[in-house]
Amino acid sequence: MSEPTEQELAEAFRSAPPIVLAAGPSETTATPPPPNETWELPGGTAWVYYGAGHTTLTRPVILADGFNTGPSTLEFSWEGLEVKNHAFISQLRAAGKDVVLLGFEERSASILKNAETAIAAIQRANSERRSDRRLVVGGFSMGGMVTRYALAKMESQGIRHETDVYFSYDTPHLGAYIPISLQAFAHYIRKLDKRFSDQINSDASQELLWRHIETWDAEPGVSGVRNDFLAALEAVGGWPQIPRKIGVANGVATGVGNGIKAGETAVKGKGLGIIGTDLRTQPTDEEALAAALRVITWKKGETHAAGLPGVDGAPGGTLHGFGILADTLNKILGLGVNDLIREHCFVPAGSAVAVRGLDTHDDLFRAIEPGEGELDEFLCSSRNEEHTKMTAELCDWLVERF
């Protein structure tokens, strides 16, 4: 069997679905019931389901969608929040809450832009609710950052949001993590298929990622786009001050990691067109080789990432980032790989509950104590589990506080 040509690989990539490093189902089979209302908003859509016994909007709970590429869809949200694991939408409606699923025209657009859609949804909910019950507003993953900024901006401008509770569900308040090796591979194959690279370099991705590289041979650092976003967040006060602020994490508070070791090979090329590729978890040794890169006959490249802690194994919500890439490559002739490690920590528990960042091993692995951080109250999961996985443990805790 001969090695595939660059043209053949480019055609194969273009015909395959894009590689998307994001939580939630890659495909949906859910058929959600028709919503009671659909709101067309600037930059997005909201799908409204009344709570039990309601015939009008009475006790709205706004749930903002998280990071991905392309537009939010009702089917995707329904699959993740109702079908795949715990039936959170049904739980809320049974408790008399009206569910407002907030989606965006482009989920990888700037958090600042999508926050304008969230503001429009908050104002619409307040104009339509037929009770004196104030709102619950929040979101999942990036959605928690979008609504955090939206509420804080409204307060900074003297706009009433009538919100009693702000919540976040495994939101990367202090940063999210995609292995440098995966980022490097995305940029390395850009001339074959730029979609993976575009996702890593999207505004929302750069705003969320703790460390980012724009090209495969760049040195990891804090993106200027993230710095601009953090400055904008600080300019509106950092957090909304009026509502009670609560949050949950898909990672544990004990400091016990997920068992993934630093500097281990996660994805290794075995097909003729990719032999030599070696994508690793974040190394902590002096060599700091994060990735060896080779596709077809291109010169082999190396990406180094020195001075960073072993985030892959940290306690927190996980993402099957290595697995998502491997599954795509294994469908392309000549690009077969061994996927030795499929997942990595994506949102460390300390980031999800706004206690501490990702800068050191101690930050990542030290136990989290009640009362720490910026939230008024939080709950960490009893196990490290998939990022934004809906569980009875976390959802019951939230509903009791809504």
Side-chain angles (χ1 to χ4, degrees), residues 310-372:
V311 188
D312 300 81
T318 61
L319 180 69
H320 285 75
F322 292 116
I324 291 168
L325 174 62
D327 290 345
T328 299
L329 295 177
N330 280 327
K331 294 175 184 176
I332 298 176
L333 186 65
L335 294 189
V337 297
N338 290 318
D339 50 335
L340 306 173
I341 298 172
R342 291 185 61 82
E343 65 180 11
H344 55 84
C345 178
F346 180 49
V347 178
S351 177
V353 295
V355 168
R356 63 182 74 99
L358 291 68
D359 291 341
T360 69
H361 182 276
D362 186 58
D363 288 335
L364 294 166
F365 289 91
R366 179 158 42 97
I368 298 168
E369 301 295 337
E372 288 191 90

Side-chain angles (χ1 to χ4, degrees), residues 265-336:
T265 294
V267 176
K268 191 173 184 66
K270 65 178 181 179
L272 286 177
I274 201 170
I275 288 175
T277 287
D278 180 354
L279 309 183
R280 302 182 181 182
T281 60
Q282 175 56 43
T284 56
D285 58 13
E286 292 183 3
E287 181 187 11
L289 177 64
L293 303 161
R294 178 192 165 269
V295 176
I296 55 174
T297 56
W298 303 345
K299 181 180 179 182
K300 185 175 178 180
E302 291 187 350
T303 300
H304 292 259
L308 305 182
V311 188
D312 300 81
T318 61
L319 180 69
H320 285 75
F322 292 116
I324 291 168
L325 174 62
D327 290 345
T328 299
L329 295 177
N330 280 327
K331 294 175 184 176
I332 298 176
L333 186 65
L335 294 189

Side-chain angles (χ1 to χ4, degrees), residues 11-319:
E11 291 173 354
F13 271 112
R14 283 194 294 268
S15 64
I19 301 164
V20 178
L21 300 187
S26 57
E27 298 179 354
T28 61
T29 57
T31 305
N36 296 107
E37 298 182 42
T38 299
W39 301 343
E40 297 301 333
L41 304 167
T45 304
W47 300 277
V48 182
Y49 290 88
Y50 297 154
H54 297 174
T55 56
T56 60
L57 194 70
T58 307
R59 299 183 65 181
V61 177
I62 296 177
L63 311 176
D65 199 5
F67 177 81
N68 209 303
T69 57
S72 301
T73 67
L74 176 57
E75 291 77 12
F76 182 93
S77 293
W78 196 267
E79 181 94 18
L81 302 181
E82 181 70 9
V83 176
K84 186 179 178 184
N85 293 295
H86 180 74
F88 188 46
I89 295 173
S90 290
Q91 182 180 13
L92 287 170
R93 297 178 74 191
K97 319 293 184 183
D98 304 311
V99 175
V100 181
L101 302 176
L102 175 59
F104 308 107
E105 287 180 356
E106 178 49 65
R107 289 172 287 181
S108 66
S110 170
I111 292 170
L112 305 179
K113 178 180 179 180
N114 283 333
E116 296 304 313
T117 305
I119 290 171
I122 292 166
Q123 293 175 320
R124 179 75 176 264
N126 280 320
S127 69
E128 295 206 6
R129 65 186 166 101
R130 297 295 178 259
S131 77
D132 59 359
R133 299 300 297 262
R134 288 157 63 87
L135 308 184
V136 175
V137 177
F140 306 89
S141 191
M142 181 193 72
M145 294 301 295
V146 170
T147 49
R148 171 182 162 185
Y149 179 83
L151 291 168
K153 182 177 180 180
M154 293 178 79
E155 290 182 4
S156 74
Q157 295 181 346
I159 302 171
R160 295 174 63 88
H161 53 59
E162 298 294 330
T163 298
D164 191 46
V165 177
Y166 160 78
F167 80 94
S168 62
Y169 200 109
D170 215 40
T171 290
H173 288 292
L174 300 176
Y177 168 77
I178 292 293
I180 298 301
S181 58
L182 286 176
Q183 297 187 48
F185 189 83
H187 303 317
Y188 190 76
I189 63 167
R190 183 174 178 83
K191 67 179 181 179
L192 291 174
D193 183 354
K194 71 184 187 70
R195 293 176 295 176
F196 190 12
S197 176
D198 285 347
Q199 183 207 11
I200 297 295
N201 284 341
S202 68
D203 285 343
S205 175
Q206 293 191 62
E207 288 166 348
L208 293 170
L209 285 177
W210 165 70
R211 293 293 184 271
H212 171 261
I213 55 173
E214 189 173 1
T215 61
W216 69 265
D217 54 353
E219 185 171 334
V222 180
S223 167
V225 176
R226 176 168 173 78
N227 282 329
D228 290 345
F229 166 68
L230 294 176
L233 184 62
E234 183 64 25
V236 297
W239 294 86
Q241 302 302 313
I242 296 172
R244 178 170 172 78
K245 302 182 291 293
I246 63 175
V248 298
N250 285 115
V252 300
T254 61
V256 176
N258 58 34
I260 296 172
K261 297 180 180 179
E264 296 285 306
T265 294
V267 176
K268 191 173 184 66
K270 65 178 181 179
L272 286 177
I274 201 170
I275 288 175
T277 287
D278 180 354
L279 309 183
R280 302 182 181 182
T281 60
Q282 175 56 43
T284 56
D285 58 13
E286 292 183 3
E287 181 187 11
L289 177 64
L293 303 161
R294 178 192 165 269
V295 176
I296 55 174
T297 56
W298 303 345
K299 181 180 179 182
K300 185 175 178 180
E302 291 187 350
T303 300
H304 292 259
L308 305 182
V311 188
D312 300 81
T318 61
L319 180 69

